[in-house]
Amino acid sequence: MRVAFFGTPEWAVPVLDALNRHHQVVLVVTQPDKPKGRGLKPAPSPVAQYAEAHGLPLWKPKSLKGNEAFLKAFREAAPEVAVTAAYGKILPREVLEVPPWGFLNLHPSLLPKYRGPAPVTWALIRGEKETGVAIMKTEEGVDTGPLYALWRTEIGPHEDALALSERLRDKGIELLLKVLEDLPHLTPTPQEGEPSYAPLLTKEEGRIRFEESAQAIYNRHRGVQPWPGSYFFHGGKRVKVLALRPEPGEGEPGVVRAVDREGVLVGTGEGLIRLLQVQPEGRRPMPAADWARGYGVAPGTRLG
């Protein structure tokens, strides 16, 4: 099929690559270049880099709504269908109406649960045991369209957002290619169940809340990988937590229970958390035990 693709981050590149290998990609649309690195020079998105490397027609519109130049180019590309994967912008009606078969969205959640831009993160933070990936027909609402395919899977007990999102994306690519193959014979079905929303992450979501249970802290830690990551404050400085695990036991929330060769044991609202590897502000990553010795952290020290 003649396919247009809308996507932006590294996560979306394998989706575009699969479409490029199995179909005719007539247009790639991504977000504009953004400042990056120490010099804050504008850099193209990973999707833009792939399109340029493979000679695919590329647009980077700042806005889609009322953008007549883009709309003209989109119509002239004559896609039969369009696919979105983590594009990052709302699609207006005039854009949605261009492809005869509409837009398909690869969304890593069991819609209608976790509509929005960060479904994998919030499924982990909220302790879900199951998730999935959906191929949805895009409407004007946020992830409200009917479904062409839905796949369910258990969440691994130690799976983080990076690993889980890639696993769901790879399965989603399989589903997407099958849906495109059968599209003329498929009828999407309405979403069923109670909807929930997964908003964009903020840096604050990475802050460890020691008053929560150890399991909830671990779930949050898995959910905020790779950004913003887990952290707490000590002595007015941010300390990133690169590795931790929940353990049985009791302790006052945020108060160090023990320091040993394995790490730093800290009380929570229920159970204990062992800090294994940390990175103090302005320093390199180090074992949590080395950090504790170097910064005078001993049993009874309050963190956070």
Side-chain angles (χ1 to χ4, degrees):
M1 298 185 76
R2 294 176 59 84
V3 181
F5 179 77
F6 290 61
T8 299
E10 186 69 38
W11 183 85
V13 171
V15 186
L16 173 56
D17 181 61
L19 293 172
N20 192 36
R21 286 184 287 108
H22 292 87
H23 295 275
Q24 183 183 357
V25 177
V26 296
L27 188 67
V28 175
V29 184
T30 191
Q31 294 211 34
D33 297 356
K34 292 185 177 180
K36 193 175 182 181
R38 290 185 177 180
L40 294 179
K41 293 182 179 179
S45 74
V47 162
Q49 292 176 43
Y50 178 96
E52 289 168 348
H54 290 79
L56 300 175
L58 177 66
W59 270 73
K60 307 175 186 179
K62 288 184 179 179
S63 174
L64 296 179
K65 194 169 184 178
N67 189 333
E68 292 300 326
F70 168 74
L71 195 59
K72 181 174 182 291
F74 190 30
R75 286 173 176 151
E76 288 176 351
E80 295 172 272
V81 66
V83 171
T84 60
Y87 173 51
K89 288 182 180 292
I90 298 295
L91 303 174
R93 179 182 296 180
E94 62 265 27
V95 172
L96 290 171
E97 291 177 345
V98 171
W101 290 102
F103 275 72
L104 304 181
N105 175 241
L106 191 162
H107 187 80
S109 85
L110 294 174
L111 290 171
K113 294 184 74 172
Y114 300 108
R115 294 171 174 170
V120 174
T121 287
W122 287 103
L124 288 168
I125 289 176
R126 292 172 183 165
E128 297 285 357
K129 304 297 184 186
E130 182 186 56
T131 187
V133 61
I135 305 300
M136 175 196 70
K137 184 170 184 178
T138 306
E139 295 180 341
E140 284 188 88
V142 178
D143 300 327
T144 58
L147 304 179
Y148 281 106
L150 189 67
W151 179 76
R152 297 176 180 272
T153 183
E154 290 185 2
I155 298 174
H158 305 297
E159 215 168 7
D160 67 15
L162 182 61
L164 180 57
S165 64
E166 289 181 352
R167 183 162 71 88
L168 295 176
R169 177 206 60 207
D170 292 347
K171 183 62 181 182
I173 290 171
E174 290 181 30
L175 296 179
L176 175 64
L177 293 176
K178 187 71 170 68
V179 167
L180 288 171
E181 183 181 335
D182 299 335
L183 192 57
H185 312 291
L186 297 178
T187 301
T189 58
Q191 297 181 23
E192 295 180 352
E194 187 69 26
S196 59
Y197 187 65
L200 274 173
L201 272 186
T202 64
K203 202 162 191 176
E204 170 64 15
E205 294 301 341
R207 181 179 60 82
I208 294 176
R209 294 138 168 86
F210 288 108
E211 68 276 9
E212 295 182 342
S213 72
Q215 187 60 51
I217 291 169
Y218 186 55
N219 290 342
R220 178 176 293 277
H221 174 74
R222 292 157 60 208
V224 297
Q225 304 305 318
W227 189 91
S230 295
Y231 65 88
F232 61 88
F233 288 94
H234 179 64
K237 300 284 188 177
R238 186 188 304 267
V239 180
K240 294 180 181 179
V241 179
L242 306 180
L244 56 75
R245 70 168 181 251
E247 293 191 5
E250 295 181 358
E252 187 179 348
V255 175
V256 174
R257 173 85 177 270
V259 178
D260 57 30
R261 283 186 295 180
E262 251 199 304
V264 179
L265 209 53
V266 187
T268 73
E270 181 183 342
L272 301 170
I273 278 290
R274 184 178 292 277
L275 308 179
L276 300 170
Q277 187 181 35
V278 302
Q279 183 176 6
E281 196 170 313
R283 300 290 300 277
R284 293 180 177 180
M286 64 180 67
D290 292 353
W291 166 77
R293 285 192 293 269
Y295 286 78
V297 175
T301 302
R302 181 175 294 279
L303 307 178

